Amino acid sequence: MQIAIVLYDRFTALDALGPYEMLCRTPGTETVFVAERPGPVTNDQGALTLIAQKALDEVPDPDIVVVPGGPGQRDQMTNETLLGWLRTADATSTWTTSVCTGSLLLAAAGLLRGRRATSHWRALDTLATYGAEPTGERVVVDGKIVTGAGVSAGLDMALTLLGKVAGDEFAQTVQLAIEYDPQPPYDAGSPQKAPAAIVDKLRDGASVFR
Amino acid sequence: MQIAIVLYDRFTALDALGPYEMLCRTPGTETVFVAERPGPVTNDQGALTLIAQKALDEVPDPDIVVVPGGPGQRDQMTNETLLGWLRTADATSTWTTSVCTGSLLLAAAGLLRGRRATSHWRALDTLATYGAEPTGERVVVDGKIVTGAGVSAGLDMALTLLGKVAGDEFAQTVQLAIEYDPQPPYDAGSPQKAPAAIVDKLRDGASVFR
């Protein structure tokens, strides 16, 4: 089984690496980081450079596609090389997945029309403009499309997916192996829970995102 | 302020990238991935290659040190270049931190003697052999040393640290920005919660770690 994790300039690191850490241990699986061109790809904060092992056209039919989000997603919304690859890959994939604003790329490729899907909480309205039915859920499974909410939701998206791909026992084994027993020191991880002033600041585009 | 995230061959990706995603947005901060030599460093699963921007000796006095764990930690336990750097960096750092078996490297450098600390649940006994006082807690703050439990605990470790470095409001802003509102589909993330058969399998060294 082949898992393709898509990289592009100014992706958000945890969007890609959270699911990677969950999925890469699946027995009989090869995980490949892919980008339009192989080689170094730098994240949205500029300090992290990953190596894309293969070009998109070298990985035409992965079993699982993972599309991260990040500020660079905007520049990819009209990149027909990527969008065309997403359509082709989705035609034969077992699972097509995204994290955060990666779902906007699936949407721009026409893959979410009439489907329930999620995204970063700030991007749900935009998702609707592509004919998707946005929900505020953290993980949404609609047929073979699995979307996760913002950034860290990729961990929950991928653990959900891992259960479907490799069974509940294996998924729980990975959960224990990576000690995924979250205990955040604050309870401000969603717009329903965070102080209103913080929600407003981010909604207005505070630069914490860059 | 300078944050140095240490890389070495066969580190675990999320150990390094979870804290990175939390900490890199701190105002006025430069984050640097460092390794014995600058250049590509490959993780424990072999699919992920990050670029270390600088050699350890080019970053002698970071304000925050982050040491990830991973299977490759064992080979570093006698690497005097790394251990010496950890001692020197700790002498002037504001915070010296680790995730997972990264705490064993801090211990081997002599930095945890008589200190409360944590590690991956499978490594707590080993931690004690270096004179540390291991606890089963997810995040342990003892003076300026902050240690996190296994792999994904780096998110909680770093969010705790972020509150101390940049204040509660900023930490909550980052938590909301990366939508850290975890909702794992299983509750098997600690040896106290996982089915006993899974705990036993991992304790016996199941290859999910590689």
Side-chain angles (χ1 to χ4, degrees):
Chain A
M1 192 166 69
Q2 191 181 45
I3 302 173
I5 301 179
V6 176
L7 300 178
Y8 51 82
D9 185 48
R10 296 191 300 125
F11 72 102
T12 294
L14 190 58
D15 289 26
L17 280 311
Y20 169 73
E21 198 67 71
M22 287 285 180
L23 298 173
C24 67
R25 291 171 174 80
T26 314
T29 297
E30 175 205 30
T31 307
V32 188
F33 289 91
V34 296
E36 195 165 342
R37 282 172 293 276
V41 183
T42 298
N43 79 326
D44 53 353
Q45 306 294 317
L48 178 73
T49 299
L50 299 194
I51 304 297
Q53 297 151 294
K54 294 191 176 175
L56 292 172
D57 59 12
E58 293 179 280
V59 184
D61 51 6
D63 298 283
I64 299 178
V65 177
V66 180
V67 183
Q73 154 267 326
R74 289 183 215 109
D75 291 344
Q76 302 298 321
M77 292 293 275
T78 52
N79 178 353
E80 272 304 320
T81 304
L82 175 59
L83 300 183
W85 181 85
L86 288 173
R87 281 181 212 110
T88 306
D90 179 67
T92 55
S93 73
T94 311
W95 299 99
T96 298
T97 78
S98 66
V99 180
C100 199
T101 55
S103 60
L104 296 179
L105 292 170
L106 298 184
L111 302 178
L112 298 186
R113 270 184 221 111
R115 288 196 187 256
R116 296 175 70 251
T118 192
S119 192
H120 192 279
W121 60 273
R122 297 205 306 186
L124 291 171
D125 290 348
T126 308
L127 194 58
T129 67
Y130 289 89
E133 296 172 20
T135 89
E137 291 162 284
R138 190 153 174 88
V139 178
V140 175
V141 181
D142 185 337
K144 73 174 195 179
I145 307 264
V146 188
T147 52
V151 192
S152 62
L155 291 165
D156 296 326
M157 185 283 286
L159 191 57
T160 301
L161 178 61
L162 194 56
K164 295 179 182 298
V165 169
D168 291 340
E169 188 181 329
F170 185 79
Q172 289 172 307
T173 304
V174 170
Q175 184 179 15
L176 179 59
I178 70 167
E179 224 167 324
Y180 185 45
D181 178 29
Q183 295 168 31
Y186 307 100
D187 191 18
S190 82
Q192 289 75 37
K193 296 174 177 175
I198 291 176
V199 178
D200 290 346
K201 190 168 63 172
L202 280 183
R203 209 185 292 279
D204 294 345
S207 64
V208 70
F209 266 12
R210 291 189 198 176
Chain B
M1 192 167 67
Q2 191 181 45
I3 302 173
I5 302 179
V6 176
L7 299 179
Y8 51 83
D9 186 46
R10 297 191 300 125
F11 72 102
T12 294
L14 190 59
D15 288 26
L17 279 311
Y20 169 73
E21 198 67 71
M22 286 286 180
L23 298 174
C24 67
R25 291 172 174 79
T26 314
T29 297
E30 174 204 30
T31 307
V32 188
F33 289 92
V34 295
E36 196 165 342
R37 283 173 292 276
V41 183
T42 298
N43 79 326
D44 53 353
Q45 305 295 315
L48 178 73
T49 299
L50 300 193
I51 303 298
Q53 296 151 295
K54 293 192 176 173
L56 292 171
D57 60 13
E58 293 178 281
V59 183
D61 52 7
D63 300 283
I64 299 178
V65 177
V66 181
V67 183
Q73 154 266 326
R74 288 183 215 109
D75 291 344
Q76 302 299 321
M77 293 294 275
T78 53
N79 178 352
E80 272 304 319
T81 305
L82 175 59
L83 300 182
W85 182 84
L86 287 174
R87 282 179 211 110
T88 307
D90 179 68
T92 55
S93 72
T94 311
W95 299 99
T96 298
T97 78
S98 67
V99 180
C100 198
T101 55
S103 60
L104 296 180
L105 292 169
L106 297 185
L111 303 178
L112 298 187
R113 268 182 224 116
R115 288 197 186 255
R116 296 177 70 251
T118 192
S119 191
H120 191 280
W121 59 273
R122 297 205 306 186
L124 291 171
D125 290 348
T126 308
L127 195 58
T129 67
Y130 289 89
E133 297 172 20
T135 90
E137 291 162 284
R138 191 155 175 87
V139 177
V140 175
V141 181
D142 184 337
K144 73 175 196 180
I145 306 264
V146 189
T147 51
V151 191
S152 62
L155 291 165
D156 296 327
M157 184 282 286
L159 191 56
T160 301
L161 178 61
L162 193 57
K164 295 179 183 299
V165 169
D168 292 340
E169 186 181 330
F170 185 79
Q172 291 173 306
T173 304
V174 170
Q175 184 178 16
L176 180 59
I178 70 166
E179 223 167 325
Y180 186 45
D181 179 29
Q183 297 166 31
Y186 307 100
D187 191 17
S190 82
Q192 289 75 36
K193 295 175 177 176
I198 292 176
V199 178
D200 291 345
K201 190 167 63 173
L202 280 183
R203 210 185 291 278
D204 293 343
S207 65
V208 69
F209 267 13
R210 293 191 196 175

